Coordinates of all heavy atoms in Angstrom, one line a residue:
G20 N -14.7 2.0 -1.3 CA -13.9 2.8 -0.4 C -12.5 2.1 -0.2 O -11.5 2.8 -0.2
L21 N -12.4 0.8 -0.1 CA -11.1 0.1 0.0 C -10.3 0.3 -1.3 O -9.1 0.5 -1.2 CB -11.4 -1.4 0.2 CG -11.8 -1.8 1.6 CD1 -12.1 -3.3 1.7 CD2 -10.8 -1.4 2.7
L22 N -10.9 0.3 -2.4 CA -10.2 0.5 -3.7 C -9.6 1.9 -3.7 O -8.4 2.1 -4.0 CB -11.1 0.4 -4.9 CG -11.7 -1.0 -5.2 CD1 -12.5 -1.0 -6.5 CD2 -10.5 -2.0 -5.5
Q23 N -10.4 2.9 -3.3 CA -9.9 4.3 -3.3 C -8.9 4.5 -2.3 O -7.9 5.1 -2.5 CB -11.1 5.2 -3.2 CG -12.0 5.3 -4.4 CD -13.1 6.4 -4.2 OE1 -14.0 6.2 -3.4 NE2 -13.0 7.4 -5.0
L24 N -9.2 4.1 -1.0 CA -8.3 4.4 0.1 C -6.9 3.8 -0.1 O -5.9 4.4 0.2 CB -8.9 4.0 1.4 CG -8.2 4.4 2.7 CD1 -8.1 5.9 2.8 CD2 -8.8 3.8 3.9
S25 N -6.9 2.5 -0.6 CA -5.6 1.9 -0.8 C -4.8 2.6 -1.8 O -3.6 2.8 -1.6 CB -5.8 0.4 -1.2 OG -6.6 0.3 -2.4
Q26 N -5.4 3.1 -2.9 CA -4.6 3.8 -3.9 C -4.1 5.2 -3.3 O -3.0 5.5 -3.5 CB -5.5 4.1 -5.1 CG -4.8 4.7 -6.3 CD -3.9 3.7 -7.0 OE1 -2.7 3.8 -6.8 NE2 -4.5 2.8 -7.7
L27 N -5.0 5.9 -2.6 CA -4.6 7.2 -2.1 C -3.6 7.1 -1.0 O -2.6 7.9 -1.0 CB -5.8 8.0 -1.6 CG -6.9 8.3 -2.7 CD1 -8.1 9.0 -2.0 CD2 -6.3 9.2 -3.7
L28 N -3.7 6.1 -0.2 CA -2.7 5.9 0.9 C -1.3 5.5 0.3 O -0.3 5.9 0.7 CB -3.1 4.8 1.9 CG -4.3 5.2 2.8 CD1 -4.6 4.1 3.7 CD2 -4.0 6.5 3.6
H29 N -1.4 4.6 -0.8 CA -0.2 4.2 -1.4 C 0.5 5.4 -2.0 O 1.7 5.6 -1.9 CB -0.5 3.2 -2.6 CG 0.7 2.6 -3.2 ND1 1.4 3.2 -4.2 CD2 1.3 1.4 -3.0 CE1 2.4 2.5 -4.6 NE2 2.3 1.3 -3.9
F30 N -0.3 6.3 -2.7 CA 0.4 7.5 -3.3 C 0.9 8.4 -2.2 O 2.0 9.0 -2.4 CB -0.7 8.2 -4.1 CG 0.0 9.2 -5.1 CD1 0.4 8.9 -6.3 CD2 0.2 10.5 -4.6 CE1 1.0 9.8 -7.2 CE2 0.8 11.5 -5.5 CZ 1.2 11.1 -6.7
A31 N 0.1 8.6 -1.1 CA 0.6 9.5 0.0 C 1.9 9.0 0.5 O 2.8 9.8 0.9 CB -0.5 9.5 1.1
Y32 N 2.1 7.7 0.6 CA 3.4 7.1 1.2 C 4.5 7.0 0.2 O 5.6 7.5 0.4 CB 3.1 5.8 1.8 CG 4.3 5.2 2.5 CD1 4.8 5.7 3.7 CD2 5.0 4.2 1.9 CE1 5.9 5.2 4.3 CE2 6.2 3.6 2.5 CZ 6.6 4.2 3.7 OH 7.7 3.7 4.3
F33 N 4.2 6.4 -1.0 CA 5.2 6.1 -1.9 C 5.4 7.1 -3.0 O 6.4 7.2 -3.7 CB 5.0 4.7 -2.6 CG 5.1 3.5 -1.7 CD1 3.9 2.9 -1.3 CD2 6.3 3.0 -1.4 CE1 4.0 1.8 -0.4 CE2 6.4 1.9 -0.6 CZ 5.2 1.3 -0.1
G34 N 4.4 8.0 -3.2 CA 4.4 9.0 -4.2 C 4.2 8.4 -5.6 O 4.5 9.0 -6.6
S35 N 3.6 7.2 -5.7 CA 3.4 6.5 -7.0 C 2.1 5.7 -6.9 O 1.6 5.4 -5.8 CB 4.5 5.6 -7.3 OG 4.6 4.5 -6.4
L36 N 1.5 5.4 -8.0 CA 0.3 4.6 -8.1 C 0.6 3.1 -8.0 O 1.6 2.7 -8.3 CB -0.4 4.9 -9.4 CG -0.8 6.4 -9.6 CD1 -1.2 6.6 -11.1 CD2 -1.9 6.8 -8.7
I37 N -0.4 2.4 -7.5 CA -0.3 1.0 -7.3 C -0.1 0.3 -8.7 O -0.9 0.4 -9.6 CB -1.5 0.4 -6.6 CG1 -1.6 0.9 -5.2 CG2 -1.4 -1.2 -6.5 CD1 -2.8 0.5 -4.4
A38 N 0.9 -0.5 -8.8 CA 1.2 -1.3 -10.0 C 0.5 -2.7 -9.9 O 0.4 -3.2 -8.7 CB 2.7 -1.5 -10.2
P39 N 0.0 -3.3 -11.0 CA -0.6 -4.6 -10.9 C 0.3 -5.6 -10.2 O -0.2 -6.5 -9.4 CB -0.8 -4.9 -12.3 CG -1.0 -3.6 -13.0 CD 0.0 -2.7 -12.3
H40 N 1.6 -5.6 -10.4 CA 2.5 -6.6 -9.9 C 2.8 -6.3 -8.4 O 3.3 -7.2 -7.7 CB 3.9 -6.5 -10.6 CG 3.7 -6.9 -12.0 ND1 3.6 -8.3 -12.4 CD2 3.7 -6.2 -13.2 CE1 3.5 -8.3 -13.8 NE2 3.6 -7.1 -14.2
E41 N 2.3 -5.2 -7.9 CA 2.5 -4.9 -6.4 C 1.4 -5.4 -5.6 O 1.6 -5.5 -4.3 CB 2.6 -3.3 -6.2 CG 3.9 -2.7 -6.7 CD 3.9 -1.2 -6.4 OE1 3.1 -0.5 -6.9 OE2 4.8 -0.8 -5.6
V42 N 0.3 -5.7 -6.1 CA -0.9 -6.1 -5.4 C -0.6 -7.3 -4.5 O -1.0 -7.4 -3.3 CB -2.1 -6.4 -6.3 CG1 -3.3 -6.9 -5.5 CG2 -2.5 -5.1 -7.0
G43 N 0.2 -8.3 -5.1 CA 0.5 -9.5 -4.4 C 1.4 -9.3 -3.1 O 1.4 -10.1 -2.2
L44 N 2.1 -8.1 -3.1 CA 3.0 -7.9 -2.0 C 2.2 -7.7 -0.7 O 2.6 -8.0 0.4 CB 3.8 -6.6 -2.2 CG 4.8 -6.7 -3.3 CD1 5.5 -5.3 -3.5 CD2 5.8 -7.7 -3.1
F45 N 0.9 -7.2 -0.8 CA 0.1 -7.0 0.4 C -0.1 -8.3 1.2 O -0.2 -8.2 2.4 CB -1.3 -6.4 -0.1 CG -2.2 -6.3 1.1 CD1 -2.1 -5.2 1.9 CD2 -3.2 -7.2 1.3 CE1 -3.0 -5.0 3.0 CE2 -4.1 -7.0 2.4 CZ -4.0 -5.9 3.2
F46 N -0.1 -9.4 0.5 CA -0.5 -10.7 1.2 C 0.7 -11.3 1.9 O 0.5 -12.2 2.8 CB -1.1 -11.7 0.2 CG -2.3 -11.2 -0.5 CD1 -2.3 -10.6 -1.7 CD2 -3.5 -11.3 0.2 CE1 -3.5 -10.1 -2.3 CE2 -4.7 -10.8 -0.4 CZ -4.7 -10.2 -1.6
H47 N 1.9 -10.9 1.6 CA 3.1 -11.5 2.4 C 4.0 -10.4 3.0 O 5.0 -10.7 3.5 CB 3.8 -12.4 1.5 CG 4.4 -11.8 0.2 ND1 5.6 -11.2 0.2 CD2 3.9 -11.9 -1.0 CE1 5.8 -10.8 -1.1 NE2 4.8 -11.2 -1.8
E48 N 3.6 -9.1 2.9 CA 4.3 -8.1 3.5 C 3.4 -7.2 4.4 O 3.7 -6.0 4.6 CB 5.1 -7.2 2.5 CG 6.2 -8.0 1.8 CD 7.0 -7.1 0.8 OE1 6.8 -5.9 0.9 OE2 7.8 -7.7 0.0
Q49 N 2.3 -7.7 4.9 CA 1.4 -6.9 5.6 C 2.0 -6.2 6.8 O 1.7 -5.1 7.1 CB 0.2 -7.8 6.1 CG -0.7 -8.2 4.9 CD -2.1 -8.7 5.4 OE1 -2.6 -8.3 6.5 NE2 -2.6 -9.7 4.7
G50 N 2.8 -7.0 7.6 CA 3.4 -6.4 8.8 C 4.2 -5.2 8.5 O 4.1 -4.1 9.1
E51 N 5.0 -5.3 7.4 CA 5.9 -4.1 7.0 C 5.0 -3.0 6.5 O 5.3 -1.8 6.8 CB 6.9 -4.6 5.9 CG 7.8 -3.5 5.5 CD 8.8 -4.0 4.4 OE1 9.0 -5.3 4.3 OE2 9.3 -3.2 3.7
I52 N 4.0 -3.3 5.8 CA 3.1 -2.3 5.2 C 2.4 -1.5 6.4 O 2.5 -0.2 6.4 CB 2.0 -2.9 4.3 CG1 2.7 -3.4 3.0 CG2 1.0 -1.8 4.0 CD1 1.8 -4.2 2.2
W53 N 1.8 -2.2 7.3 CA 1.1 -1.4 8.4 C 2.1 -0.7 9.3 O 1.8 0.4 9.7 CB 0.3 -2.4 9.2 CG -0.8 -3.0 8.5 CD1 -1.0 -4.3 8.1 CD2 -1.9 -2.3 7.9 NE1 -2.2 -4.5 7.4 CE2 -2.8 -3.2 7.2 CE3 -2.3 -0.9 7.8 CZ2 -3.9 -2.9 6.6 CZ3 -3.5 -0.6 7.2 CH2 -4.3 -1.6 6.5
E54 N 3.3 -1.3 9.5 CA 4.3 -0.6 10.3 C 4.8 0.7 9.6 O 4.9 1.8 10.2 CB 5.5 -1.5 10.5 CG 6.6 -0.9 11.4 CD 7.8 -1.8 11.6 OE1 7.7 -3.0 11.2 OE2 8.8 -1.3 12.2
S55 N 4.9 0.7 8.3 CA 5.3 1.8 7.5 C 4.3 2.9 7.6 O 4.6 4.1 7.8 CB 5.6 1.4 6.1 OG 6.7 0.5 6.0
L56 N 3.0 2.5 7.4 CA 1.9 3.5 7.4 C 1.8 4.1 8.8 O 1.5 5.3 8.8 CB 0.6 2.8 7.0 CG 0.5 2.4 5.5 CD1 -0.8 1.6 5.3 CD2 0.6 3.5 4.6
A57 N 1.9 3.3 9.8 CA 1.8 3.9 11.2 C 2.9 4.9 11.4 O 2.7 5.9 12.1 CB 1.9 2.8 12.2
G58 N 4.1 4.7 10.8 CA 5.2 5.7 11.0 C 5.0 7.0 10.4 O 5.7 8.0 10.7
V59 N 4.1 7.0 9.4 CA 3.9 8.3 8.7 C 2.4 8.7 8.7 O 1.8 9.3 7.8 CB 4.3 8.2 7.2 CG1 5.8 8.2 7.1 CG2 3.7 7.0 6.5
A60 N 1.7 8.3 9.8 CA 0.3 8.5 10.0 C -0.2 9.9 9.6 O -1.2 10.1 9.0 CB -0.1 8.1 11.4

């Protein structure tokens, strides 16, 4: 579920699929990520 949901939420927000080099951003940009998702809930 986490694999699927993260991809679908990423596409819903960014309009693109998760790139391998983007995975690392989750670990040091979590605050910005959750704030962005909350803004387009």
Side-chain angles (χ1 to χ4, degrees):
L21 287 174
L22 291 180
Q23 287 184 293
L24 187 61
S25 59
Q26 187 72 256
L27 295 177
L28 291 180
H29 187 280
F30 195 91
Y32 182 74
F33 292 103
S35 62
L36 300 169
I37 295 174
H40 297 282
E41 288 183 298
V42 175
L44 296 176
F45 176 79
F46 297 99
H47 57 84
E48 293 185 10
Q49 286 193 37
E51 182 179 340
I52 291 171
W53 293 117
E54 182 181 353
S55 299
L56 290 177
V59 291

